[in-house]
Short mmCIF file of all heavy atoms in Angstrom, two decimals:
data_model
loop_
_atom_site.label_atom_id
_atom_site.label_comp_id
_atom_site.label_asym_id
_atom_site.label_seq_id
_atom_site.Cartn_x
_atom_site.Cartn_y
_atom_site.Cartn_z
N THR A 53 5.97 4.16 -1.37
CA THR A 53 5.38 5.46 -1.14
C THR A 53 5.23 6.24 -2.43
O THR A 53 6.06 6.12 -3.33
CB THR A 53 6.24 6.26 -0.14
OG1 THR A 53 5.64 7.53 0.11
CG2 THR A 53 7.66 6.49 -0.69
N VAL A 126 9.52 35.03 11.95
CA VAL A 126 10.52 35.89 12.56
C VAL A 126 11.80 35.08 12.83
O VAL A 126 11.73 33.99 13.38
CB VAL A 126 9.98 36.49 13.88
CG1 VAL A 126 11.09 37.21 14.65
CG2 VAL A 126 8.82 37.44 13.61
N GLY A 143 25.72 29.18 22.82
CA GLY A 143 27.09 28.71 22.82
C GLY A 143 28.08 29.81 22.47
O GLY A 143 29.17 29.92 23.04
N ARG A 189 27.93 23.12 15.04
CA ARG A 189 27.47 22.17 16.05
C ARG A 189 28.33 22.20 17.31
O ARG A 189 27.83 22.03 18.41
CB ARG A 189 27.43 20.77 15.44
CG ARG A 189 26.36 20.61 14.37
CD ARG A 189 26.45 19.28 13.66
NE ARG A 189 25.72 19.33 12.40
CZ ARG A 189 25.83 18.43 11.44
NH1 ARG A 189 26.66 17.40 11.60
NH2 ARG A 189 25.14 18.55 10.33
N GLU A 196 24.17 23.27 26.20
CA GLU A 196 23.81 22.30 27.24
C GLU A 196 24.58 22.58 28.52
O GLU A 196 24.02 22.48 29.63
CB GLU A 196 24.06 20.90 26.75
CG GLU A 196 23.61 19.81 27.70
CD GLU A 196 23.79 18.42 27.15
OE1 GLU A 196 24.09 18.27 25.94
OE2 GLU A 196 23.60 17.45 27.92
N GLN A 210 23.76 32.07 34.02
CA GLN A 210 22.39 32.50 34.31
C GLN A 210 22.04 33.74 33.48
O GLN A 210 20.92 33.84 32.94
CB GLN A 210 22.24 32.79 35.79
CG GLN A 210 22.27 31.56 36.66
CD GLN A 210 22.22 31.87 38.14
OE1 GLN A 210 22.49 33.00 38.57
NE2 GLN A 210 21.86 30.89 38.96
N LEU A 228 3.47 37.71 16.61
CA LEU A 228 2.03 37.86 16.93
C LEU A 228 1.51 39.25 16.56
O LEU A 228 0.40 39.40 16.08
CB LEU A 228 1.78 37.57 18.41
CG LEU A 228 1.96 36.13 18.87
CD1 LEU A 228 1.73 36.02 20.37
CD2 LEU A 228 0.99 35.19 18.12
N LEU A 253 15.77 28.96 31.39
CA LEU A 253 15.44 29.62 30.14
C LEU A 253 13.94 29.62 29.91
O LEU A 253 13.35 30.64 29.52
CB LEU A 253 16.16 28.95 28.97
CG LEU A 253 16.02 29.63 27.61
CD1 LEU A 253 17.28 29.46 26.77
CD2 LEU A 253 14.82 29.09 26.82
#
Side-chain angles (χ1 to χ4, degrees):
T53 181
V126 171
R189 291 172 198 167
E196 185 176 350
Q210 289 176 342
L228 290 177
L253 185 146

